[in-house]
Amino acid sequence: TVAVVVVVALAAWLFGGRSPAPTVAAKPMAEILAEASRSVGRMQAFELSGNPIATGMAFAVAPGMMATACQGLAPGAQVVVRIGSRDVPARMDVADETLGLCRLAVDGAGSWPLPSGPVPKAGDKVYAVGLSGAGEVQLAEAQVKRVSSEGGRSVVDAGIAIPAGHGGRPLLDAGGRIVAAAVTPTGGGAAVHVVIPQGWSERTPAAGKP
C-alpha cells in the first residue's frame, strides 16, 4: 500500500508539474479596500528644477519599497508618493524593462505591503485599484477574460480600461493579493496589466539599476 501511494505521488509530481498555488479565502470588498488604502498612493515625479515629468500610482510591495510604472521616470528624478494625506519622498531604485515596472525606495512608507498572489486565470474575480480626484482609493470589480504572453511577460485582460494617470495601479485577486500592475508598452499604445512574478520585490531584475 505504501509503495502504491509513493508511485501515485511520484507520477503526480512528474506529470502534473509544480503543485498548484495554495488557495486563499475571498475577502469582503470593504476589507480589501481598507488594506489597499494603506498601501496605495499617487506617485508624482519631478525634474531637479521642480517641473513635473510623470504621474501615476504606486503600491507597497515590501517594507520601505513600492512599485510603479516606469513610464516617464528617469534616474535622478525626485519622486513623491501621497498615501492618504501624507507625502512620502522616494527614489527610483531598480527598473525592470521587461515588465515596465520600477521599484521605489521610500522613507516612512511601505509598512503595509500587499501580499502577492499567483497568476490569475480566466474567470477569476479581480479588483482594479483606482484613485478618486481627492486621492481616495477605489476598487472596480472585474473578471479575467484571458492571460496571454507578450514580449516575455504575461498580460491579464480583465476587460477594464486603465484611465490616464493610473499607470502602476495594482490588480488584486479576490483575496486582496497583488497579481498584476498597469503599465504602458515601451513602444506606446494602450496600457495593459502585466503579471508580477512571485518574489519580484525580493530580487534584482535583469535590467539592473538605471
Side-chain angles (χ1 to χ4, degrees), residues 90-192:
R91 60 180 175 81
M92 186 165 62
D93 182 34
V94 176
D96 188 325
E97 295 178 359
T98 300
L99 295 181
L101 283 176
C102 282
R103 288 208 312 247
L104 303 175
V106 297
D107 297 319
S111 300
W112 297 280
L114 294 168
S116 59
V119 178
K121 59 184 183 300
D124 284 355
K125 178 192 294 186
V126 289
Y127 296 101
V129 182
L131 290 172
S132 69
E136 296 178 343
V137 174
Q138 301 173 326
L139 296 180
E141 184 178 326
Q143 187 177 63
V144 175
K145 292 185 175 181
R146 60 182 172 274
V147 179
S148 57
S149 180
E150 297 179 12
R153 61 190 183 182
S154 296
V155 175
V156 179
D157 178 3
I160 186 168
I162 302 172
H166 279 62
R169 80 172 182 191
L171 199 65
L172 310 179
D173 66 10
R177 302 174 300 181
I178 300 171
V179 294
V183 302
T184 299
T186 305
V192 295

